[in-house]
């Protein structure tokens, strides 16, 4: 499997030239004309096919690049799952007016599209009734219909759209229908509609459904051999690579049970292919299955889907063929191109991966598919199933396999026009992927199909475009090879125009898993303050230990005394002018070098962060990435703000405006982001030219010491910054009273921020204080939101980092009509969270930082009666708190920010939405806010009636990205400016204005020499 694991991010250009092109090129030399000819006939026949397919007609009319297409998509995604009429009406009123429906009403014999369009139009009240004269008889029917009826017509239209993709509601009806269609060229693979399970309850339900479906299909007598498609993520709520041990224990036995059953009733099954991050897990599980005896000579009906758009697809097939040879077994492979392309691109950019796991050129995906077909053709162990609607792909495969058994596959509701061409072809077999289930389960599937039909590059989409001629569509993908370097999608590291994106670590990949499962030994460590590059030893020491292993001391921190603090201030003050006037380019170079050093020391930093701060490996990596982004972002911003500006004025005068460093700055950072915030504050101060005292939280003294040493290694002059370790309450007052101090930057609790503010007020000058504190952050979810999506984002926002983020979701406000459903799924999802040592990649929640924190959180939990807490236990001695959900009746039940894995939930009525916003506002915090809704009016109402720094719509509310989501709040949440935003650096500078009367030195030369007569 090594080739599979190492080729996830291969260079697509060399892979194409070295591995894909040669065999296809050779094959086409002899067969190109014939294949292109066949493809041309398929296309022509498809274009002449009179489809009765309502969906195709609607998609034809409403292109996804039009606003009406988008509206239709939004309605399709949400309308059918909304439980109440009011929200349905709100959604329709919100979306329909956004389209130009009138243009879609035509005199063509296209009743469904016309009725839908008129319904959309009238509901939107865009048009006066008179305007509808131009439309024919439909108008006379619809003219007098009331709005509620029209709404029901819209619902019906969307229903028809959805129905297009559902074969039948349940497996019995599906089987009955397939028997009726027995004469057609089609066999069926029934897909029990199911998306990724979020809870054990859901996964158990899907497990039973799959087993029932297999049994039923096995018992039904049919001339055709129908099969069942299975989504593995539906069978376990944590189908993730980092949960492989759990999956081996809990999922593998279920798979064995399913295969055993399928074998007994002689039904083929196929595991669907999902996101690229899940490929390794499915192959690891498959490997176990193949090594067992469950598949034998009597059963070759197990299959997997392989996605040709993944760079590794050819290696997957080569491995599988070799493996099957070794174990002497046979299997099916469904070759698909892949359905999650846009998601893969987005995820890779978000994670800063080294490259994309999928090709970024459509024609390379096509080539890869053909190359995979060649590998399958060479295999005697794999029965190939070609799932495609693309005419050239079909023609190529048909030629390649003219003497070898194979089958084609298509999706129910799509590609009828293509496969109709073969209805009289002998020995042509095609299997239909036939979703079975209710509308509720359909929606994510439906959205994928709409995207597939609407995407510009999609073959089916192009087939439906009258302006694309058949010649353009039937050509071999090799004809596009010259475009291989054109219009590349930027690699994830280059998505920002003026700086590199921080590189991430893909923890779904085997090599990284191996590396980060073995953290560096952090024992016998010593941390000290550092002044002038020298470690300062004192007699004030504190033990260092991991919050998840509190009985073991791993080192000592040496805290600064008064003498050391004074020495730091004196040394920095002495160097202040020089550093302020140093070249900006030099400072930027140091900052960028430092960023690169952080990037090349991932393993060390993760090890320290996990062991000292108790952060999980995932969270530690995110912390480092943010720090790197801060460096690169501030380096770019510094270039922008330090430009000398010439301001306009009367002639004879030169007016200059510029920013310069303030001077001695003290930055005080917290333990919860011991890398990102420590680095962000320090670098912001330094890049502007401020000599800086860095005072990190005492809980993460060693980590700051390690980072500070990297900064010196990057070339920072030794007396430009000092690291001062120690207890805040002891160190702070000694610094805050110093007259040289110009600026204080703090991130931490509101309580401490107020103490610092008070101390600064006692000075006889006025110095700037930047504080970023916590929040009582709410997330509002209405009934138009997708519950699975809400739950996923809330779990992420409330419990990641053990809830120790100032941006974390503290209160979830759920609309009353989906309250019970959401709460129940939330509890189920919380049950799947693993609370354990952060050294384990499989851990979701590590410890909280210390005894005091644990005590405060526990006391808070104990003061509520209606709560749900998971009961997981682990063997580690530490400050663990199990994730807890507390039901509250009023927002005011939560008095203060609780910094831990605790989520409060509240039910609200949609008629009180504004009231809810006002209450959120009156909590007087203003950091983050989440809204989950498909209705723009709801989103606008919430935004207008709340006052928070960072609002997130239909996503989680944590993990603000530097430069993309500048972070920081108001009121009790902080003073601003936002970290990682365009105003931040300016607060580290004073403004200077210099006005020069240039006439004083000999007259107004400029004026006199520039005027003409
Ligand atoms: C029976 C059946 C079962 C299926 N099961 C699965 C499954 O288990 N898992 C799954 O993921 N999909 C599955 N699919 C969906 C399948 O991936 C799509 O239907 C398929 O990609 C469409 O391919 P095509 O040859 O019909 O269309 P084409 O239009 O020729 O190709 C579309 C493909 O090109 C890719 N593409 C688009 N733009 C680019 C670009 N810029 N760079 C690179 N590639 C690009 C798309 O992502 C898509 O994969 C299944 C389809 C069928 C018919």
């Amino acid at each position: 499997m090594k080739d599979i694991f190492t080729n996830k991010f291969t260079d697509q250009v060399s892979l194409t030239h070295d591995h894909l092109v040669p065999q296809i090129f050779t094959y086409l030399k002899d067969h190109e004309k014939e294949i292109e000819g066949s493809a041309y006939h398929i296309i022509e026949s498809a274009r002449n096919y009179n489809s009765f397919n309502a969906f195709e007609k609607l998609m034809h009319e409403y292109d996804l690049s039009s606003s009406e297409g988008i509206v239709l998509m939004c309605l399709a995604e949400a309308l059918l799952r909304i439980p109440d009429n009011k929200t349905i009406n709100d959604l329709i009123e919100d979306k329909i007016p956004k389209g130009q429906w009138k243009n879609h009403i035509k005199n063509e014999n296209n009743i469904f599209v016309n009725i839908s369009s008129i319904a959309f139009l009238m509901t939107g009240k865009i048009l006066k009734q008179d305007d509808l004269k131009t439309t024919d008889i439909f108008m006379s029917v619809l003219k007098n219909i009331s709005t509620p009826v029209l709404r029901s017509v819209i619902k019906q239209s969307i229903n028809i759209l959805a129905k297009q993709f559902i074969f039948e509601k349940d497996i019995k009806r599906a089987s009955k229908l397939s028997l009726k269609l027995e004469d057609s060229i089609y066999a069926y693979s029934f897909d029990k509609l199911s998306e990724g399970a979020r809870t054990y309850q859901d996964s158990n339900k899907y497990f039973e459904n799959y087993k029932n479906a297999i049994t039923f299909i096995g018992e039904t007598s049919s001339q055709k051999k129908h099969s069942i498609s299975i989504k593995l993520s539906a069978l376990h709520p944590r189908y993730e690579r980092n949960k492989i041990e759990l999956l081996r224990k809990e999922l593998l036995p279920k798979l064995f049970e399913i295969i055993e059953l399928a074998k007994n009733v002689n039904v083929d099954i196929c595991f669907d292919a999902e996101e690229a991050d899940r490929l390794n897990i499915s192959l690891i599980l498959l490997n176990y299955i193949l090594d067992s005896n469950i598949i034998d000579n009597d059963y070759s009906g197990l299959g997997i889907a392989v996605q040709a758009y993944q760079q590794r697809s050819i290696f997957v097939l080569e491995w599988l063929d070799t493996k099957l040879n070794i174990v002497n077994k046979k299997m099916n492979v469904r070759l698909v191109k892949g359905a999650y392309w846009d998601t893969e691109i987005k995820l890779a950019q978000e994670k800063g991966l080294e490259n994309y796991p999928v090709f970024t050129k459509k024609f390379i995906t096509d080539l890869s598919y053909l190359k995979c077909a060649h590998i399958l053709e060479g295999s005697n162990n794999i029965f190939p199933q070609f799932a495609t609607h693309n005419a050239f792909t079909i023609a190529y495969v048909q030629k390649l396999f003219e003497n070898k058994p194979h089958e084609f596959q298509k999706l129910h509701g799509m590609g009828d026009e293509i496969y109709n061409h073969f209805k009289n072809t002998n020995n042509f077999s095609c299997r239909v992927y036939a979703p079975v289930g209710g509308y509720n389960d359909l929606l994510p599937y439906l959205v994928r199909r709409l995207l597939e039909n609407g995407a510009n590059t999609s073959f089916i989409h192009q087939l439906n475009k009258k302006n694309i001629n058949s010649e353009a569509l039937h050509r071999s993908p090799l004809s596009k090879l010259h475009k291989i370097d054109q219009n590349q999608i930027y690699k994830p590291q280059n998505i920002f125009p003026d700086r590199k994106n921080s590189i991430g670590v893909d923890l779904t990949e085997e090599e990284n898993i191996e590396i980060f499962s073995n953290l560096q030994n952090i024992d016998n460590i010593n941390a000290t303050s550092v002044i002038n590059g020298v470690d300062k030893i004192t007699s004030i020491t504190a033990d260092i230990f991991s919050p998840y292993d509190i009985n073991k001391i791993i080192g000592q921190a040496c805290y600064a005394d008064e003498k050391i603090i004074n020495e730091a201030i004196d040394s920095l003050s002495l160097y202040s002018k020089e550093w302020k006037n140093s070249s900006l380019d030099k400072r930027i170079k140091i900052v960028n070098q430092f960023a690169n050093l952080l990037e090349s020391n991932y393993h060390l930093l993760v090890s320290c962060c996990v062991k000292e701060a108790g952060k999980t490996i995932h969270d530690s990596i995110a912390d480092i990435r943010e720090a790197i982004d801060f460096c690169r972002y501030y380096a770019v911003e510094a270039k922008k703000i330090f430009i000398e500006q010439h301001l306009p004025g009367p002639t004879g005068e030169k007016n200059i405006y510029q920013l310069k460093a303030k001077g001695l700055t003290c930055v005080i950072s917290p333990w919860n982001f011991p890398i990102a915030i420590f680095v962000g504050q320090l670098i912001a101060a330094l890049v502007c030219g401020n000599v800086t005292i860095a005072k990190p939280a005492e809980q993460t003294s060693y980590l700051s010491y390690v980072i500070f040493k990297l900064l010196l290694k990057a070339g920072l002059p030794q007396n430009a910054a000092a690291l001062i370790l120690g207890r805040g309450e002891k160190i702070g007052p000694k610094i805050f009273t110093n007259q040289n101090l110009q600026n204080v930057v703090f991130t931490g609790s509101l309580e401490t921020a107020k103490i610092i503010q008070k101390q600064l007020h006692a000075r006889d000058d006025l110095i700037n204080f930047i504080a970023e504190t916590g929040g009582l952050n709410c997330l509002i979810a209405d009934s138009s939101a997708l519950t699975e999506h809400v739950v996923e984002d809330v779990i992420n926002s409330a419990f990641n980092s053990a809830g120790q983020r100032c941006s974390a979701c503290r209160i979830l406000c759920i609309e009353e009509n989906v309250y019970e459903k959401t709460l129940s799924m939330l509890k189920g999802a919380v049950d799947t969270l693993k609370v354990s040592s952060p050294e384990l990649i499989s851990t979701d929640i590590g410890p909280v930082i210390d005894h005091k924190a644990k005590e405060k959180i526990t006391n808070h939990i104990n003061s509520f009666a209606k709560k749900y807490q998971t009961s997981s236990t682990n063997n580690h001695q530490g400050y663990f708190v199990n994730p807890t959900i507390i039901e509250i009746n009023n927002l005011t039940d939560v008095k203060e920010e609780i910094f831990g894995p605790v989520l409060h939930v509240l039910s609200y009525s949609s008629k009180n939405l504004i009231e809810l916003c006002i209450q959120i506002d009156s909590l007087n915090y203003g950091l983050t806010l989440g809204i989950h809704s498909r209705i723009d009016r709801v989103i606008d109402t919430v935004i207008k009636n709340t006052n928070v720094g960072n609002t997130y719509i239909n996503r989680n509310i944590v993990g603000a990205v530097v430069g993309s989501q500048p972070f920081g709040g108001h009121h009790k949440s902080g003073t601003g400016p936002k970290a990682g935003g365009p105003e931040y650096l300016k607060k580290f500078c004073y403004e200077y204005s210099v006005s020069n009367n240039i006439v004083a030195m000999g007259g107004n030369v400029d004026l006199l020499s520039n005027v003409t007569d």
Side-chain angles (χ1 to χ4, degrees):
M1 282 191 200
K2 193 162 163 274
D3 281 345
I4 304 171
F5 297 154
T6 53
N7 278 296
K8 184 171 182 183
F9 303 118
T10 310
D11 170 45
Q12 66 175 6
V13 176
S14 51
L15 180 80
T16 305
H17 287 304
D18 299 346
H19 293 274
L20 307 185
V21 171
Q23 197 169 10
I24 298 168
F25 182 80
T26 311
Y27 190 73
L28 282 179
K29 251 196 218 158
D30 296 333
H31 305 293
E32 184 161 13
K33 269 219 166 80
E34 190 187 341
I35 292 171
E36 287 193 348
S38 306
Y40 184 81
H41 287 307
I42 299 172
I43 292 164
E44 283 296 288
S45 129
R47 283 187 155 169
N48 291 325
Y49 178 73
N50 191 4
S51 170
F52 297 101
N53 182 325
F55 165 78
E56 276 166 20
K57 291 206 159 120
L58 215 65
M59 285 306 293
H60 223 127
E61 191 58 43
Y62 297 112
D63 198 294
L64 281 184
S65 59
S66 68
S67 52
E68 297 83 46
I70 303 288
V71 165
L72 214 58
M73 170 99 147
C74 295
L75 289 175
E77 189 272 333
L79 197 73
L80 302 182
R81 68 177 143 78
I82 298 178
D84 61 301
N85 280 340
K86 181 183 174 304
T87 313
I88 290 177
N89 289 347
D90 285 351
L91 182 74
I92 291 174
E93 267 172 30
D94 194 69
K95 300 293 173 224
I96 297 293
K98 294 183 176 137
Q100 296 294 318
W101 307 103
K102 188 183 168 190
N103 304 338
H104 299 274
I105 302 169
K106 295 171 182 156
N107 284 323
E108 284 172 14
N109 188 16
N110 198 340
I111 298 178
F112 174 66
V113 173
N114 273 328
I115 290 185
S116 307
S117 305
I118 293 173
F120 293 151
L121 172 64
M122 287 189 66
T123 313
K125 298 187 180 79
I126 295 168
L127 214 59
K128 290 187 208 101
Q129 297 238 342
D130 285 355
D131 293 344
L132 288 170
K133 270 183 214 140
T134 46
T135 62
D136 56 19
I137 49 159
F138 304 113
M139 196 40 233
S140 57
V141 182
L142 286 162
K143 205 149 96 178
N144 300 318
I145 294 179
S146 64
T147 311
V149 175
L150 284 169
R151 284 183 185 150
S152 113
V153 174
I154 289 177
K155 210 172 161 194
Q156 212 42 41
S157 303
I158 301 298
N159 253 315
I160 291 173
L161 204 67
K163 170 83 184 92
Q164 189 59 39
F165 289 108
I166 295 186
F167 187 70
E168 258 305 349
K169 278 205 175 87
D170 57 51
I171 197 74
K172 283 188 187 148
R173 289 183 215 214
S175 164
K176 213 159 151 194
L177 181 58
S178 70
L179 288 175
K180 264 200 222 156
L181 303 170
E182 194 104 329
D183 289 344
S184 74
I185 57 168
Y186 300 126
Y188 293 88
S189 180
F190 298 109
D191 162 42
K192 278 293 299 169
L193 271 175
S194 51
E195 288 300 318
R198 303 302 196 278
T199 64
Y200 279 104
Q201 207 180 5
D202 279 348
S203 63
N204 290 337
K205 182 183 80 187
Y206 291 135
F207 180 52
E208 293 306 319
N209 283 348
Y210 281 132
K211 286 196 298 185
N212 290 341
I214 293 169
T215 310
F216 189 80
I217 293 301
E219 286 167 355
T220 309
S221 64
S222 160
Q223 296 159 22
K224 305 257 175 77
K225 192 161 189 254
H226 302 310
S227 59
I228 299 286
S229 292
I230 295 172
K231 215 172 227 73
L232 294 181
S233 64
L235 288 174
H236 199 281
R238 303 303 302 270
Y239 189 61
E240 300 157 23
R241 174 58 188 85
N242 61 334
K243 299 285 178 189
I244 193 74
E245 287 310 319
L246 190 71
L247 294 169
R248 213 188 316 237
K249 219 167 80 192
E250 296 179 347
L251 177 60
L252 199 58
K254 282 185 174 175
L255 298 185
F256 274 98
E257 200 175 324
I258 285 178
I259 297 168
E260 189 69 43
L261 179 64
K263 188 165 84 173
N264 289 342
V265 295
N266 197 19
V267 168
D268 284 8
I269 54 172
C270 179
F271 297 151
D272 282 354
E274 303 185 54
E275 292 83 354
D277 283 352
R278 290 176 154 155
L279 177 64
N280 289 7
I281 332 167
S282 47
L283 294 182
I284 293 169
L285 294 176
L286 179 64
N287 203 27
Y288 284 122
I289 293 168
L290 292 177
D291 281 337
S292 74
N293 292 326
I294 191 150
I295 298 178
D296 50 28
N297 288 339
D298 295 336
Y299 184 68
S300 57
L302 174 64
I304 58 158
V306 173
Q307 295 158 323
Y309 69 9
Q310 284 209 48
Q311 311 224 38
R312 316 177 263 185
S313 51
I314 55 172
F315 303 105
V316 170
L317 291 180
E318 279 166 1
W319 166 78
L320 186 58
D321 186 37
T322 314
K323 178 82 194 176
L324 289 170
N325 253 334
I326 296 169
V327 294
N328 192 22
K329 287 172 184 165
K330 297 208 182 320
M331 266 185 70
N332 300 325
V333 163
R334 169 193 293 156
L335 188 61
V336 303
K337 289 184 187 165
Y340 306 85
W341 186 79
D342 53 326
T343 311
E344 299 294 354
I345 299 291
K346 184 168 189 280
L347 276 177
Q349 293 187 354
E350 280 173 2
K351 290 187 188 170
L353 299 182
E354 59 180 283
N355 201 347
Y356 299 102
V358 294
F359 297 112
T360 59
K361 291 266 177 202
K362 159 76 165 71
F363 80 87
I364 307 184
T365 295
D366 291 338
L367 287 174
S368 169
Y369 194 95
L370 302 182
K371 172 67 194 181
C372 288
H374 279 285
I375 298 173
L376 293 174
E377 198 267 335
S379 167
N380 292 323
N381 310 307
I382 301 174
F383 175 74
Q385 303 168 320
F386 296 100
T388 173
H389 311 111
N390 180 313
F392 184 89
T393 313
I394 294 172
Y396 190 106
V397 168
Q398 223 189 353
K399 179 71 199 159
L400 184 64
F401 280 80
E402 61 187 345
N403 298 316
K404 214 170 170 188
H406 66 284
E407 73 176 28
F408 285 97
Q409 297 197 342
K410 74 178 234 8
L411 295 172
H412 171 69
M414 272 179 74
D416 288 327
E417 69 280 41
I418 293 285
Y419 282 98
N420 181 61
H421 177 74
F422 299 99
K423 67 174 188 275
N424 298 321
T425 308
N426 282 339
N427 295 328
F428 186 89
S429 57
C430 181
R431 184 177 298 277
V432 179
Y433 186 91
V436 175
Y439 292 140
N440 267 352
D441 294 320
L442 168 79
L443 300 172
Y445 176 84
L446 176 60
V447 169
R448 276 206 299 281
R449 296 291 80 88
L450 289 176
L451 282 174
E452 185 171 334
N453 277 276
N456 257 338
T457 51
S458 147
F459 176 81
I460 289 286
H461 180 77
Q462 295 182 349
L463 183 71
N464 286 329
K465 286 263 162 205
K466 288 188 181 125
N467 57 348
I468 300 180
N469 63 34
S470 304
E471 276 73 24
L473 283 180
H474 79 284
R475 301 289 317 277
S476 138
L478 269 189
S479 64
K480 295 190 180 141
L481 197 57
H482 62 283
K483 295 187 179 176
I484 197 159
D485 288 321
Q486 289 172 17
N487 305 324
Q488 283 295 354
I489 293 182
Y490 290 122
K491 283 198 175 165
Q493 276 180 66
N494 299 329
I495 56 170
F496 296 113
D498 43 14
R499 67 186 156 98
K500 253 173 70 188
N501 189 7
S502 57
I503 193 157
V505 177
D506 183 1
L507 279 183
T508 66
E509 274 318 298
E510 307 309 312
E511 195 188 347
N512 291 331
I513 291 168
E514 172 79 27
I515 293 172
F516 286 93
S517 297
N518 295 296
L519 297 180
Q520 283 188 27
N521 223 357
I522 311 287
D523 268 343
N524 294 324
I525 49 177
N526 286 301
T528 65
S529 301
V530 183
I531 300 167
N532 264 330
V534 178
D535 290 7
K536 295 288 170 184
I537 314 273
T538 64
S539 56
I540 319 170
T541 58
D543 293 337
I544 302 176
F545 50 84
S546 304
Y548 54 94
D549 193 2
I550 51 182
N551 295 330
K552 185 177 159 204
I553 294 168
I554 56 173
Q556 297 258 297
C558 201
Y559 289 168
D561 55 21
E562 187 159 4
K563 187 167 148 267
I564 285 181
I565 296 169
N566 289 337
E567 191 185 333
I569 292 176
D570 291 346
S571 150
L572 294 172
S573 302
L574 214 61
Y575 188 62
S576 183
K577 209 181 268 172
E578 195 176 331
W579 183 239
K580 185 189 287 193
N581 294 320
S582 63
S583 120
L584 176 61
D585 284 346
K586 175 183 160 187
R587 299 199 299 265
I588 287 177
K589 196 170 160 211
I590 296 167
V591 168
N592 283 329
Q593 265 162 4
F594 176 51
N596 294 344
L597 272 179
L598 292 173
E599 220 166 47
S600 56
N601 279 284
Y602 255 107
H603 195 246
L604 168 70
L605 294 172
V606 168
S607 304
C608 297
C609 191
V610 168
K611 300 217 173 177
E612 196 182 21
K615 289 188 83 157
T616 62
I617 296 170
H618 288 88
D619 287 339
S620 303
I621 289 170
D623 207 7
I624 301 171
R625 284 198 66 203
E626 194 178 346
I628 297 167
D629 285 334
F630 272 133
C631 293
R632 295 188 179 138
Y633 176 76
Y634 289 144
V636 172
E637 287 302 300
K639 272 224 144 124
K640 291 185 196 157
I641 68 162
F642 283 110
I643 292 174
E644 195 178 86
Q645 293 182 47
H646 290 252
L647 303 180
T651 182
E653 197 173 272
K654 192 171 163 193
N655 295 310
I656 292 173
Y657 170 85
Q658 67 184 131
L659 298 177
K660 279 190 187 167
K662 284 184 169 169
L664 183 64
T665 297
C666 176
V667 297
I668 305 160
S669 53
W671 48 262
N672 65 333
F673 283 89
I675 310 175
I677 298 181
F678 177 70
V679 167
Q681 294 175 341
L682 181 56
I683 289 305
L686 287 171
V687 78
C688 292
N690 300 289
V691 287
T692 309
I693 299 173
K695 156 65 188 88
E698 44 276 34
Q699 291 91 335
T700 48
S701 296
Y702 181 67
L703 187 49
S704 340
Y705 173 81
V706 171
I707 297 171
F708 195 79
K709 285 287 165 105
L710 288 178
L711 182 56
L712 294 176
K713 196 170 166 193
L716 184 79
Q718 294 185 337
N719 34 9
L723 178 73
I724 297 290
L725 302 184
R727 303 197 68 81
E729 62 274 23
K730 293 255 160 57
I731 308 262
K734 300 191 175 93
I735 299 174
F736 302 148
T737 46
N738 188 284
Q739 284 314 299
N740 291 339
L741 187 69
Q742 302 294 321
N743 200 12
V744 177
V745 182
F746 168 79
T747 302
S749 72
L750 174 65
E751 196 187 343
T752 311
K754 288 177 82 170
I755 295 171
I756 297 174
Q757 195 179 42
K758 231 186 211 161
Q759 291 174 359
L760 294 177
H761 275 160
R763 292 169 62 100
D764 55 11
D765 58 1
L766 302 166
I767 70 164
N768 194 45
F769 177 47
I770 301 173
E772 204 250 285
T773 52
L776 267 182
N777 310 309
C778 299
L779 192 150
I780 300 174
D782 76 5
S783 63
S784 71
L786 182 65
T787 307
E788 286 80 358
H789 190 183
V790 172
V791 167
E792 197 170 303
D793 286 343
V794 170
I795 292 281
N796 210 307
S797 307
F799 301 117
N800 269 8
S801 308
Q804 299 175 113
R805 291 169 177 251
C806 50
S807 55
C809 177
R810 306 292 176 204
I811 305 168
L812 170 64
C813 310
I814 313 169
E815 193 176 335
E816 58 191 359
N817 45 8
V818 285
Y819 181 80
E820 289 305 333
K821 179 183 173 198
T822 311
L823 185 60
S824 141
M825 195 182 288
L826 203 56
K827 288 177 182 173
V830 165
D831 279 339
T832 72
L833 297 174
K834 176 174 173 175
V835 182
S836 187
S837 159
E839 287 187 33
L840 304 171
I841 285 190
S842 56
T843 291
D844 299 303
I845 300 184
V848 296
I849 191 68
D850 54 24
H851 175 70
K852 203 170 132 202
K854 179 173 174 172
E855 197 173 55
K856 182 169 177 185
I857 300 165
T858 312
N859 287 343
H860 177 83
I861 293 171
N862 290 342
S863 68
F864 287 86
K866 222 171 160 189
K867 61 195 168 212
Y868 181 79
Q869 188 172 48
T870 61
S871 53
S872 91
T873 50
N874 70 79
N875 301 328
H876 302 274
Q877 293 296 310
Y879 307 119
F880 293 98
V881 179
N882 284 347
T884 308
I885 297 171
I886 296 174
E887 288 186 74
I888 55 172
N889 298 320
N890 291 299
L891 275 185
T892 46
D893 291 350
V894 190
K895 304 277 181 261
E896 58 175 332
E897 180 187 39
I898 295 299
F899 220 60
V902 181
L903 174 74
H904 306 87
V905 291
L906 172 79
S907 163
Y908 78 93
S909 153
S910 64
K911 57 179 193 296
N912 297 332
L913 182 64
I914 295 183
E915 180 60 30
L916 175 70
C917 295
I918 293 169
Q919 282 175 16
I920 290 175
D921 228 26
S922 58
L923 292 172
N924 226 0
Y925 286 90
L927 193 53
T928 61
L929 174 78
I931 311 164
H932 263 263
S933 173
R934 298 294 186 263
I935 301 170
D936 289 343
R937 198 176 43 72
V938 169
I939 295 169
D940 289 346
T941 304
V942 175
I943 291 178
K944 278 189 191 133
N945 289 287
T946 50
N947 186 16
V948 296
N950 287 64
T951 301
Y952 298 94
I953 300 160
N954 291 325
R955 48 156 288 173
N956 65 20
I957 67 168
V958 290
V961 175
V962 173
S964 301
Q965 293 118 21
F967 184 74
H970 327 129
H971 306 303
K972 287 184 186 173
S973 296
T975 59
K978 282 172 173 291
E983 295 303 310
Y984 195 65
L985 289 191
K986 293 179 189 166
K987 281 282 170 0
F988 291 77
C989 305
Y990 287 133
E991 297 169 286
Y992 292 87
S993 162
V994 178
S995 188
N996 185 353
N997 177 13
I998 49 177
V999 187
M1001 289 200 240
N1004 196 339
V1005 181
D1006 262 5
L1007 180 65
L1008 294 173
S1009 59
N1010 283 329
V1011 213
T1012 53
D1013 57 4

